[in-house]
Amino acid sequence: MAIINEHTVKAFDADLNRLRGLISEMGGRAEQALIQAMSALANGDRPLAAEVVEGDKAIDALETEVERLAVQTIALRAPMADDLREMIAALKIVSVVERIGDYAKNIAKRVALMDPARSIEAIPLLTSMSSLVAELIHDALDSFAARDTELALRVTVRDKTVDDFYNSIFRTLVTFMMENPRHITESAHLLFVAKNLERMGDHATNIAEMVYYAVTGERMEERERGEQPEDGAAEQE
Amino acid sequence: MTHDELTIANPKMKAEGVDVFYGAKQAINNVSIDVGTDLVTAFIGPSGCGKSTFLRSLNRMNDTLASARVTGKITLEGEDIYAPSMDVVQLRARVGMVFQKPNPFPKSVYDNVAYGPRIHGLAAGKADLDLIVERALVRAGLWDEVKDRLGESGTALSGGQQQRLCIARAIAVNPEVILMDEPCSALDPIATAKIEDLIHELRGKYAIVIVTHNMQQAARVSQRTAFFHLGTLVEYGKTADIFTNPKQDRTKDYITGRYG
């Protein structure tokens, strides 16, 4: 759905471009927040973590701005067909990106609670997992900017690897806690970090699904989802 | 979307492979479409796309132009409307028309509505005619506004009232189909909303086909939309689908305002 033809009303194109620019900026900030939060966690860098927490306000402000602009465009331009779908997708995507920003902030907040002197073996795994999640967020937003359904589909496929990471980290941390009861508090925090990363991956998938809908008008086929520790919980209890 | 979902059960009118020529110029090229009583059909498209020409071929209004020629087949309840045996006056009573500019006769409100029933001999007497006039005005949503001024000239009404009077006039002869050619383009938004509400009320009683330049209006009043471009029917579908997810690029460009 490359936009070849411009609208007869040029101001409409200007509004759409501004909307895309804002979403792109917001996505970039959320991705950056995740990378910085994980770096702060790995290095025990508290000032960097504080920066991430502070930076979340800018992400929230961008969400508000996109919502305002989308509502205004719907009211004034009465968009149709792919334009309308893009507005709806934009509204949903920014609320998802805002959640991603919140998870990054949540990870950053836990940095102050960790003892930087102690090393926990799950952290390198978490760092690899977060690199993949950051890539997925990046690609999901790129697929929105480029109207690229192929890229969007690949994001949803790759999210399965994020789920695999999560399962693996869960097991690693449980084992670690059993062996090192003194590290239970920190390990529990890291479990939440892993869960946050897993949710962020799901949100990247949500973005990809919205892109697919905006471009094609169809819903993406239900993806195959990896089994998670909590999936088996009901049976075991 | 399968073809079956779009098929209209018991179509009131069927057009098959219709071409319309003005002299040597072909205005409509091989258009086939069904219209039914349960669904309002909207024709949209840029100026000169042929939507009005096609609409007018449905009750042989094009006959009034010497150079116009229609080929293909158009049937009303299975009857070929271009057959030599077809009585055109009768046809136009069965397939009524409402035009862009309200065109009441320079007669009283009552006579405007009574005119058709009178010439078609539909009323048994004065009391019967009164009833027909009242019913038509009620159906057209105009009765409460004009019941005390039936003797006044139809041309003294407001634009929106005049248009509803024209709809009442079309309804009075018990048509099966009502064709509307840009019925609201000369009206303000309130009068337009009243006509749109009326179209909604009339749906199910008459097969309604509306030509409109106002895409929002097509979206609001119709259940089926046909997009015409350069004399061809580019896309026909459920109105909700046409406006959220059109299949053809030309349709998409037109409804999203990228045309031309």
Side-chain angles (χ1 to χ4, degrees):
Chain A
M1 188 177 65
I3 306 298
I4 304 159
N5 294 336
E6 292 183 339
H7 288 90
T8 308
V9 179
K10 299 288 185 292
F12 193 174
D13 287 318
D15 286 350
L16 279 174
N17 285 335
R18 184 162 146 64
L19 193 71
R20 287 173 192 145
L22 286 170
I23 291 171
S24 178
E25 185 190 343
M26 191 178 168
R29 280 178 185 267
E31 183 192 342
Q32 196 57 32
L34 166 62
I35 292 167
Q36 288 179 338
M38 287 308 294
S39 162
L41 181 75
N43 304 320
D45 187 341
R46 292 184 182 184
L48 183 59
E51 226 176 88
V52 171
V53 173
E54 186 60 27
D56 190 52
K57 288 178 188 153
I59 296 176
D60 292 352
L62 279 164
E63 183 195 19
T64 308
E65 178 62 11
V66 168
E67 279 180 4
R68 194 195 59 75
L69 185 59
V71 167
Q72 179 189 303
T73 307
I74 290 170
L76 302 188
R77 312 268 180 223
M80 292 284 192
D82 53 342
D83 292 335
L84 176 61
R85 298 200 305 268
E86 177 162 344
M87 291 296 141
I88 303 303
L91 283 172
K92 287 189 153 189
I93 286 172
V94 291
S95 80
V96 167
V97 174
E98 190 271 335
R99 292 295 300 149
I100 291 175
D102 283 351
Y103 284 127
K105 181 169 81 172
N106 186 276
I107 292 171
K109 278 181 173 172
R110 292 179 197 277
V111 171
L113 306 170
M114 310 289 291
D115 182 348
R118 293 178 193 158
S119 136
I120 296 177
E121 58 185 300
I123 286 187
L125 259 179
L126 280 170
T127 307
S128 308
M129 181 181 183
S130 74
S131 304
L132 175 60
V133 170
E135 250 178 59
L136 294 188
I137 296 168
H138 185 92
D139 288 354
L141 287 156
D142 270 3
S143 77
F144 178 70
R147 304 282 167 281
D148 186 340
T149 53
E150 281 305 310
L151 186 57
L153 280 165
R154 282 205 299 279
V155 167
T156 62
V157 172
R158 281 147 72 207
D159 182 50
K160 197 171 172 310
T161 312
V162 175
D163 295 340
D164 293 342
F165 262 117
Y166 176 57
N167 294 337
S168 160
I169 289 167
F170 183 86
R171 281 194 304 273
T172 308
L173 281 170
V174 169
T175 312
F176 188 81
M177 283 191 267
M178 287 193 284
E179 289 165 359
N180 304 278
R182 284 179 300 111
H183 292 323
I184 280 186
T185 306
E186 277 136 319
S187 300
H189 282 301
L190 291 179
L191 266 183
F192 280 113
V193 170
K195 185 66 196 169
N196 285 349
L197 291 172
E198 187 272 326
R199 294 300 302 142
M200 288 161 128
D202 283 349
H203 283 324
T205 302
N206 293 148
I207 296 173
E209 285 170 354
M210 287 319 298
V211 170
Y212 192 88
Y213 167 72
V215 175
T216 65
E218 313 281 338
R219 296 202 71 83
M220 200 185 267
E221 298 277 316
E222 190 65 27
R223 80 207 156 96
E224 200 186 316
R225 199 163 170 278
E227 177 100 339
Q228 290 183 358
E230 47 270 47
D231 290 337
E235 294 142 44
Q236 283 164 18
E237 273 165 14
Chain B
M1 158 123 14
T2 64
H3 182 71
D4 290 345
E5 284 179 65
L6 283 178
T7 305
I8 289 179
N10 309 318
K12 181 59 79 173
M13 292 195 89
K14 271 180 98 65
E16 290 165 275
V18 172
D19 297 319
V20 181
F21 298 87
Y22 291 127
K25 188 183 177 299
Q26 185 162 7
I28 287 289
N29 190 350
N30 192 25
V31 170
S32 299
I33 200 168
D34 292 355
V35 299
T37 303
D38 297 332
L39 304 166
V40 176
T41 307
F43 292 173
I44 60 170
S47 295
C49 70
K51 57 191 187 300
S52 289
T53 296
F54 183 68
L55 187 79
R56 297 160 74 90
S57 68
L58 296 179
N59 72 344
R60 295 184 55 175
M61 288 297 284
N62 292 324
D63 288 13
T64 55
L65 296 168
S67 66
R69 191 160 54 84
V70 178
T71 63
K73 194 172 181 192
I74 301 176
T75 57
L76 172 62
E77 289 283 332
E79 257 179 283
D80 184 348
I81 67 167
Y82 283 89
S85 58
M86 178 58 72
D87 175 349
V88 178
V89 174
Q90 199 58 39
L91 171 69
R92 290 184 192 144
R94 293 174 68 190
V95 184
M97 195 155 195
V98 176
F99 298 88
Q100 182 169 354
K101 263 181 74 182
N103 56 351
F105 303 133
K107 290 168 174 288
S108 70
V109 169
Y110 184 95
D111 285 340
N112 262 281
V113 183
Y115 182 80
R118 271 190 192 126
I119 62 164
H120 287 285
L122 298 180
K126 172 78 170 102
D128 198 18
L129 190 58
D130 286 353
L131 197 64
I132 291 173
V133 169
E134 177 174 342
R135 258 196 214 137
L137 286 167
V138 167
R139 276 209 167 168
L142 192 59
W143 176 250
D144 289 340
E145 292 163 59
V146 300
K147 61 174 186 257
D148 300 323
R149 36 196 298 218
L150 293 174
E152 282 179 36
S153 172
T155 54
L157 300 176
S158 75
Q161 289 172 330
Q162 287 186 24
Q163 195 61 305
R164 279 179 284 145
L165 179 62
C166 294
I167 293 172
R169 187 174 66 190
I171 289 173
V173 293
N174 263 328
E176 293 159 61
V177 182
I178 301 177
L179 309 177
M180 300 187 177
D181 193 354
E182 296 267 1
C184 301
S185 58
L187 306 182
D188 75 16
I190 306 286
T192 297
K194 284 185 181 165
I195 301 278
E196 289 178 3
D197 186 49
L198 178 57
I199 291 171
H200 193 73
E201 290 292 318
L202 298 177
R203 175 188 163 196
K205 302 185 181 81
Y206 314 98
I208 297 174
V209 185
I210 177 171
V211 162
T212 175
H213 270 130
N214 181 337
M215 282 180 286
Q216 298 292 342
Q217 179 168 68
R220 286 191 299 262
V221 304
S222 73
Q223 289 74 45
R224 290 284 189 276
T225 296
F227 170 61
F228 286 80
H229 187 222
L230 301 175
T232 60
L233 176 59
V234 174
E235 187 166 355
Y236 171 81
K238 292 183 182 173
T239 298
D241 291 334
I242 295 280
F243 286 101
T244 58
N245 195 11
K247 297 285 173 280
Q248 303 291 326
D249 282 346
R250 276 195 285 171
T251 315
K252 188 188 80 181
D253 285 350
Y254 181 67
I255 65 167
T256 57
R258 291 192 182 88
Y259 173 77

